[in-house]
Amino acid sequence: MTGGDMTGADDRAVERAARSTLHWTLRYTSGLDPVVAADRQEEILSDLHEQTAWATEAGIGERATARSIRARMLRGIPADLGWRRAQLSGREGIRLSLPRVDGLLLAAVAAIGVVQVAVGAFIAARQVRALLIGDISWVPIAAALTIALGAVALVATALLWHRRMRPWGAALLAVTGLLIFAQSVEALYYLSATALLVINGVPWLEPAAYAIGTGVAILCIAASAQWANPARRFPAAPGASALTGEESR
């Protein structure tokens, strides 16, 4: 398959994955020197062509190739951001090493897990208190769901300390993170008179909680892809290092 062949019905999955990668490239090169940005974008275009051509020669299906492209893009996000920072600071020779990226990701995802567990524990404590003092005599669905999500987050955080289970832990935290913050806001609507006043006075609070959850989920998914390392199942095409955030040599 050549670059011009990515228009058939069977190639749409690869085309969509390639467009996502190019869109991300345009985003993280925006605001840089036009020559540097153009060079980077051309490098990614060439890399995508080489990978799809190699995948066709190796007999890899379109969907598997598309998954590989997306996974490599997600794994490369931290290094891409490091490359952008190096360009902005003028320190072009500095790149984040893989161990350092993994360490930063682990610290960030672990912190996310701890926060989610704390949110679940807080809602559980408020629920027990409300029941004991007779504020309510039932458990709101949002409170039950928040407590359950916090329990799952506890298990997921524990999985982060086992290297082989780390991708699963990050994936679970992506799911719980997407929901737990908004659900905790809804739970507090029933469990706290002060929170009720705040929520009624700040109508954008719940959408903001969903936005935070979405950002958390994206970070955790990127970490999960980094640790799962699908490239071991789909070897990269020669010279295809740019998608992982590394510059070709």
Side-chain angles (χ1 to χ4, degrees), residues 205-236:
L205 187 58
E206 189 169 355
Y210 273 114
I212 293 172
T214 300
V216 165
I218 291 173
L219 176 59
C220 290
I221 289 172
S224 181
Q226 168 74 16
W227 294 326
N229 195 12
R232 294 176 180 174
R233 297 193 297 272
F234 301 100

Side-chain angles (χ1 to χ4, degrees), residues 96-122:
L96 290 175
S97 65
L98 182 59
R100 185 179 178 188
V101 169
D102 278 346
L104 292 173
L105 279 177
L106 180 58
V109 176
I112 287 171
V114 170
V115 170
Q116 292 186 35
V117 172
V119 169
F122 175 73

Side-chain angles (χ1 to χ4, degrees), residues 65 91 129 179:
T65 302
R91 297 154 63 190
R129 180 180 180 277
L179 300 172

